[in-house]
Amino acid sequence: MQSSPQFVGIDLGTTTTGLAWIRPDGNPEIVPNADGERLTPSVVYFDPHEDVKLVGVAARDSGDPDRTVQLIKRHMDDPEFTVSMDGRIWTPAEISAIILAKMRRDCSQIIGPIEDAVLTVPANFNELARKATLAAGRIAGLNVRRIVNEPTAAALYYAHAQKLRGRIMVYDLGGGTLDITILEVDDHGIRCLTSEGAGRLGGSDFDERILELIADAYQSAHGVGLWENELERRRVLQSGEDLKKMLSKLRQASETVGSQRGGVARIELTREVFEAAVSRLFTRTILLVEQALASVRFSPQDIDHVALVGGGTRMPGVRRMLKDYFGTEPKTCGNVDECVALGAALFAMKGADVEEVCNHSYGTLALVEDAATGAETYANTIVIPKNTPIPCEQSQTYVTSEDNENLIEVEITQGEDSDPKYVDIIGRIALKVPPNRPAGCEVTVTYRYDENQRVKATVRDERSGKTTEVAISYEGAGVLSDSEVEARREAFDSLRIE
Ligand code: AMP
């Protein structure tokens, strides 16, 4: 065992979490958990008898959906989402922290104490979800040195392991999300050009389709439904996922399912029928590919390599579709569900010359005057456009609109549209300015977008020259303040997590 603290990379995934370190020979390696699994299901079970939280396969197989939390990553951007368990409210950051704490504790037993980590997030994770991920790491006792986008980490791994260079499109079909990212890789580093993501398009959507096929087949053979409650449904869903994985290897496969009412049945499914049932999902993934190409004005021929990431890319239909579209075989590395963690470890240990871009436009809501008509409308003005290389900063000047105005309020937005209805308000700035001043005083707001893709703002009152650092505040039951994060971090030491 190594005794000096290790730098690790952690891929905190929707369905599984992986931790990697760099071996003394300089190559990244996955570190298994204490149960011997290379990837730990991102599932937490709250045991009612002993005050213990189970994480991983044991949690997934606990058989009690009311006490089991999964797919928590899908809620990291929801300020109102919480889980209530035994009278205690858990935020998404805390649930994620339970998973990270298990990884940290288990893997420390193999590679030595773990303190510093690079965590990965989907490229399209918004500001709130990134903040929640940082909080999760901190609560779990990690010093999060950087948050890196998953496709960037994957590209780093491909560049290391297969020496891929040039324009690479990372096609990442994970358990819950699809990310399409275009990067330029050369011997000096990685430059991200654009990233498009669909937050609700991943392997579990394919599982839902196969679940319908199984349920229909069972219903027509036995005349009754296959499940009556959530627990039974989840069992069938698991069988459906197993069947989906088998169909990645075989042209035809079967699974045994059953219910007390209709008895046991063996459901046969061909790859052809499965692919027909999910063809719409395949098409949606290609639409996202086209969107990514269009956003940088590339055609498919401009891409040198398509690199596959995520367990979903094991489906032969995905590979065939990409080969048809690009005219070349996509690159795979075998361990498609480990390469993000492996790339994160490379980043943690060696650092890398990585240039990322803003994956959303950031702006403000303000009254905007139409130059021709003089009419005022409430509109979103983009201050930092999507795909701007980061870190970056931009300023915008506002004028007070009324005499004696002593509070300037600015709403910070994330989104591409000028219509406030189609953008998200991610924070509010409230700035006190001295009273008794006429309308028309200038206030400059400077937005900084740091390397973790977190937004910060400073406000300068031009008349007094006073500059104030403004915290962008989030409100909601699912959001922890900085002091709450610290308190939870201390409390976590005494939690039993297995
Ligand atoms: P990831 O988040 O990258 O671990 O991806 C997990 C997703 O990949 C889950 O939805 C799995 O069902 C799916 N997956 C893993 N292996 C296979 C396979 N052999 N064929 C199809 N899907 C798979």
Side-chain angles (χ1 to χ4, degrees), residues 15-16 173-175 203-204 207 241 244-245 248 310-312 314-315 337:
T15 47
T16 58
L173 185 60
S204 54
D207 300 343
E241 187 182 358
K244 173 186 78 173
K245 289 182 182 173
S248 292
R314 292 205 177 92
M315 286 185 280
D337 29 27

Side-chain angles (χ1 to χ4, degrees), residues 3-19:
S3 54
S4 55
Q6 300 299 318
F7 296 153
V8 297
I10 306 179
D11 171 15
L12 180 58
T14 311
T15 47
T16 58
T17 295
L19 182 148

